Amino acid sequence: LGDVYKRQLLLHGRSAAESSLVQGFALHAARAGQLMPTTVSNAKIALVDFDLRAVKMKLGINITVSDPTKVDGFKQREIDITRERIQKMIDAGANVILTTWGIEDTMMKMMVENGVMGVRRVKLDDMRRIAKATGGTIIHNMSDLSGDEIFETKALGVADCVEEHRCGDGDEYITITGTKNEVCASIICRGANYFVLEEMQRSLNDSLCAVARTLEAGSVVAGGGAAECALSVYLENFAHTLGNVEQLAIAQFAEALLCIPKTLAMNGALDATDLVAKLRVEHNEAYGEKTASEGRFQGLDLDIGCTRNNLAAGVLEPMSSKVRSFEMATEAAVTILRIDDCIRLNHQEEEQR
């Protein structure tokens, strides 16, 4: 799948048929405040990796106050520092602020007054993906070389829409769509319970990996036992042209290839002998024709219990994986055949000793 980032978001509730694909990033989080906007169009996203709560002095720092009336001034300055940081983000054009830390109530009020959506405690890995998708930059510190705090407009990420969705009881997620770089797609999985969701996630991972391997291979073969049966028929006919002991080895190799379609039929609770016999007849007819025909793509259809053109049905396998499996199986068989003697220990004698 190239540079496309695949994200799977598991949400408990509703039916699996209501799962959806989002062309963008789906974030399992919610707005920091209920009065914040639920939808922001033409979003300018600020990605910060520092706390948006009142600044606290580090451990080990002592402050000696000679005038008790100035204590409130220290506390107010701690709040004003964070206020100034948020104001600089807003002045740069940010209308969505994502932070990996927390957001204080007074800062939420400031965001609500300016129509800004704030999201807190976002995972750093998610921040990196959002930055890549939106073209933004994660800001760890607003200080420049001169020691002043600034927030540049070029650090903002861009998206067409940032929207919060609610599903179930108190379960929210945020979607970021229309990103600057189309490198991210999210699959929102719905299910009755977490066992269904975990099984769905495993199936999706297997499917996506199969698609990725197919795209990397660049060439495919028909699946459902079509490739094994076609190769078996070819080798069986080739073995009849040999007049020495090699004929037996090739014929046995051709017969061994049929174990794949037989196993597929048995796993589908079907009559393996009958289906494989029909499949061999169709491949023999296709092999005997002078011109290439679609019979060579015939494979098993386990849903109905018959044969079909698996190339037209879209049942495909990467050719590199198929060749690799043949090579490994052949090497394993050759290794076993090279064993001359087999010594078996008598467990009863060992116990007596």
Side-chain angles (χ1 to χ4, degrees), residues 32 88 110 136 144 183 210 260 306 308 342:
K88 288 176 182 178
M110 181 180 179
D144 59 2
V183 295
I260 299 298
C306 64
R308 67 176 176 185
C342 181

Side-chain angles (χ1 to χ4, degrees), residues 67-103:
D67 188 357
T69 60
K70 295 182 179 180
V71 175
D72 292 337
F74 280 100
K75 296 181 179 179
Q76 185 62 37
R77 184 53 189 161
E78 291 176 348
I79 298 175
D80 290 343
I81 292 174
T82 307
R83 282 179 176 271
E84 292 172 2
R85 291 175 178 175
I86 295 176
Q87 188 61 50
K88 288 176 182 178
M89 298 179 200
I90 297 173
D91 294 341
N95 50 19
V96 177
I97 298 177
L98 306 181
T99 178
T100 56
W101 293 73
I103 303 176

Side-chain angles (χ1 to χ4, degrees), residues 25 27 45 47 98 122 125-136 157 176 179:
F25 192 90
L27 181 65
I45 306 171
L47 307 169
L98 306 181
V122 180
D125 290 340
D126 292 340
M127 293 280 279
R128 294 193 183 102
R129 297 296 181 181
I130 295 172
K132 183 178 180 181
T134 60
I176 303 173
T179 55

Side-chain angles (χ1 to χ4, degrees), residues 5 13 17 21 43-44 69 95 114 120 140 145 158 167 202 217 220 224 230 235 252 259 266 308 313 333 348:
Y5 171 64
L21 173 67
K44 300 295 188 295
T69 60
N95 50 19
N114 290 273
R120 56 187 172 183
H140 302 279
L145 295 177
V158 180
C167 57
R202 283 191 289 268
V220 295
L235 291 176
Q252 289 297 319
C259 69
M266 292 175 63
R308 67 176 176 185
Q348 295 181 353

